[in-house]
Amino acid sequence: MNDAVHAKIDTMVTSNDVVLFMKGTPLFPQCGFSSKAVAILEHLGVGFESVDVLQDMDVRQGIKEFSDWPTIPQLYVKGEFIGGSDIMMEMYEAGELGELMAEKKVAPAAS
């Protein structure tokens, strides 16, 4: 990953409370894992920024290197990498993801 791609990803991650790197968009996810990740965030009622990695191949590959995580989707909260859809689901079911959002004072989704 070149410096420009790293800087672009870093800016996305640090400029938003919650960022979901996914395949597709929240309205039209392009894989089941991305769809599951969106559903979890929507159920928690938190605002989040999404990044469609299918629109930028540099970001698609770069995010994997940035997080040292091989799969997409990837969730970041307040600049911290949380994990993919399986980790999100485990944390959600245990109540930990909601707690994390509250601890980090993540803003609710706009109505």
Side-chain angles (χ1 to χ4, degrees):
M1 165 175 44
N2 66 41
D3 290 343
V5 173
H6 187 276
K8 180 178 182 178
I9 292 170
D10 188 63
T11 298
M12 286 186 249
V13 166
T14 57
S15 299
N16 300 283
D17 283 357
V18 180
V19 182
L20 181 65
F21 289 85
M22 62 180 291
K23 293 178 181 175
T25 66
L27 285 177
F28 297 104
Q30 297 298 306
C31 79
F33 298 109
S34 291
S35 180
K36 183 190 307 183
V38 168
I40 290 168
L41 293 174
E42 288 178 345
H43 193 268
L44 289 173
V46 297
F48 67 97
E49 184 70 28
S50 66
V51 178
D52 181 359
V53 299
L54 299 178
Q55 299 301 313
D56 188 332
M57 289 302 130
D58 289 336
V59 170
R60 183 178 184 174
Q61 190 56 40
I63 192 63
K64 296 174 186 180
E65 296 173 29
F66 187 86
S67 63
D68 197 25
W69 191 261
T71 59
I72 294 166
Q74 293 187 12
L75 177 67
Y76 288 79
V77 177
K78 298 279 186 161
E80 177 186 352
F81 174 61
I82 304 302
S85 64
D86 290 345
I87 290 172
M88 287 176 68
M89 181 57 83
E90 289 173 17
M91 290 179 72
Y92 172 74
E93 289 175 344
E96 296 168 359
L97 194 55
E99 290 172 9
L100 175 70
M101 298 297 181
E103 286 171 16
K104 300 280 188 176
K105 296 180 174 53
V106 171
S111 302

